[in-house]
């Protein structure tokens, strides 16, 4: 039996960023800065603006954004 390999994209949320209004923000509304998130989605769709991210939110519970 031939084994198929699997992969996952892992990312870290930036600690600080400047939003579109020029205000300093820490992380994102859902995730604190420095959180590790797993990017999920089977197919990249050019019509969508982003893909889903799975990780521990600010309340320390798993959340999909």
């Amino acid at each position: 039996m031939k084994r198929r390999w699997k992969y996952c994209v892992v990312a870290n949320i930036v600690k600080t960023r400047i939003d579109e209004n020029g205000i300093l923000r820490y992380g994102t509304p859902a995730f604190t800065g420095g959180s590790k998130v797993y990017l999920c989605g089977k197919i990249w769709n050019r019509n969508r603006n982003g893909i889903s991210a799975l990780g521990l939110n600010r309340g320390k519970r798993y959340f999909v954004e």
Side-chain angles (χ1 to χ4, degrees):
M1 180 176 162
K2 187 176 181 181
R3 295 188 138 194
R4 295 183 181 179
W5 61 278
K6 297 188 186 262
Y7 62 93
C8 177
V9 177
V10 181
N12 289 324
I13 302 295
V14 294
K15 292 194 183 272
T16 59
R17 64 183 174 88
I18 305 293
D19 71 0
E20 59 276 354
N21 298 323
I23 300 171
L24 178 65
R25 301 287 182 185
Y26 298 94
T28 67
F31 303 109
T32 58
S35 296
K36 183 182 286 187
V37 293
Y38 302 89
L39 305 179
C40 52
K42 289 184 178 180
I43 300 172
W44 178 259
N45 186 348
R46 292 185 187 269
N47 297 329
R48 288 182 64 187
N49 291 334
I51 59 174
S52 299
L54 168 70
L56 290 174
N57 67 2
R58 292 182 178 271
K60 302 300 181 200
R61 294 180 184 260
Y62 281 103
F63 179 74
V64 177
E65 181 180 66

